[in-house]
Amino acid sequence: EAQVTQNPRYLITVTGKKLTVTCSQNMNHEYMSWYRQDPGLGLRQIYYSMNVEVTDKGDVPEGYKVSRKEKRNFPLILESPSPNQTSLYFCASSLGGYNEKLFFGSGTQLSVL
Amino acid sequence: SQQGEEDPQALSIQEGENATMNCSYKTSINNLQWYRQNSGRGLVHLILIRSNEREKHSGRLRVTLDTSKKSSSLLITASRAADTASYFCATDPQETSGSRLTFGEGTQLTVNP
């Protein structure tokens, strides 16, 4: 089944403890992206990647890192999480680019205490 | 502020009725997409309409685009309880740098059985 898989689904952590949210797609998509969703603010893009080893900042990249060593994986890294990073996170991918149909993962609800 | 803004913020109808949601945006776009999100889950792509198109259909969905008014509408005909979800428009602005869609904050649709 074609899908974008995110893990974990829920995560509670404490300020400053490094964490990684994994994202994997099995559709051989070129483009991958991370979004965060907050009430009243909609979805905002954190980072995106047009291809392997090519990543770029979105609208709200501060406090996040990403890597794209393989085409299928695009992990989101929070080196030192803070409470303002408590949010619902989504990974998405598309075949050719951001302006095509995006496939979303099921989301990761992160709480930073 | 968000490029795309949905209206109304919330809509409650009875099963079998039609539901219309609107999206307004500020700058010229290349295309506009509509997505659906069940509570806390990943977004699912519904329709993409390009700037040179005026109307598209997909099953019970009808999307219109009026570039002169910078607006789009999503019509769901003969609604069902399973259509209960949040609906988002996402625009691909012509003038943005970087590769990103801009999402609105969504319309929460409730279809009562």
Side-chain angles (χ1 to χ4, degrees):
Chain A
E1 181 189 351
Q3 60 186 358
V4 178
T5 303
Q6 278 180 245
N7 281 298
R9 179 78 178 92
Y10 300 95
L11 181 57
I12 300 173
T13 190
V14 295
T15 299
K17 187 175 181 182
K18 180 180 178 179
L19 65 92
T20 299
V21 183
T22 63
C23 174
S24 179
Q25 49 91 7
N26 63 359
M27 296 169 280
N28 202 37
H29 282 174
E30 301 282 335
Y31 179 86
M32 298 186 75
S33 180
W34 278 101
Y35 290 86
R36 61 178 288 174
Q37 185 176 29
D38 302 286
L41 296 174
L43 275 90
R44 294 177 293 166
Q45 190 181 53
I46 303 170
Y47 269 95
Y48 64 94
S49 170
M50 298 295 289
N51 211 327
V52 175
E53 302 292 2
V54 179
T55 64
D56 210 342
K57 297 177 180 178
D59 296 312
V60 287
E62 295 78 20
Y64 304 95
K65 284 175 58 177
V66 293
S67 68
R68 188 94 183 269
K69 295 186 173 64
E70 305 164 287
K71 197 171 189 178
R72 63 184 293 127
N73 296 323
F74 191 45
L76 180 69
I77 302 156
L78 284 72
E79 295 270 3
S80 182
S82 61
N84 64 11
Q85 293 178 298
T86 292
S87 186
L88 179 57
Y89 291 87
F90 290 103
C91 180
S93 72
S94 74
L95 183 61
Y98 71 98
N99 55 356
E100 297 183 11
K101 172 181 176 180
L102 285 174
F103 292 78
F104 280 81
S106 296
T108 296
Q109 180 63 60
L110 172 65
S111 295
V112 183
L113 306 177
Chain B
S1 62
Q2 296 292 331
Q3 160 77 334
E5 294 186 2
E6 291 89 347
D7 171 63
Q9 286 189 328
L11 179 61
S12 181
I13 60 174
Q14 295 300 122
E15 214 166 21
E17 294 179 340
N18 295 342
T20 300
M21 288 158 272
N22 303 298
C23 171
S24 60
Y25 55 90
K26 296 183 174 63
T27 63
S28 297
I29 59 172
N30 295 312
N31 66 53
L32 184 147
Q33 301 182 45
W34 283 92
Y35 287 82
R36 165 199 166 117
Q37 182 183 32
N38 287 76
S39 180
R41 308 300 294 183
L43 281 72
V44 175
H45 181 268
L46 297 176
I47 285 185
L48 182 154
I49 187 165
R50 301 195 186 281
S51 59
N52 61 353
E53 297 175 309
R54 292 297 167 257
E55 188 170 312
K56 282 189 92 166
H57 296 253
S58 176
R60 293 184 296 112
L61 306 180
R62 171 177 166 249
V63 168
T64 61
L65 180 64
D66 187 335
T67 53
S68 66
K69 294 182 180 177
K70 293 187 170 57
S71 67
S72 173
S73 68
L74 170 66
L75 168 67
I76 303 174
T77 60
S79 64
R80 306 166 181 167
D83 294 328
T84 295
S86 292
Y87 293 82
F88 295 85
C89 67
T91 54
D92 167 22
Q94 288 181 354
E95 294 170 9
T96 2
S97 59
S99 298
R100 65 198 68 158
L101 290 179
T102 305
F103 286 83
E105 293 180 33
T107 292
Q108 173 61 52
L109 173 66
T110 302
V111 182
N112 301 299

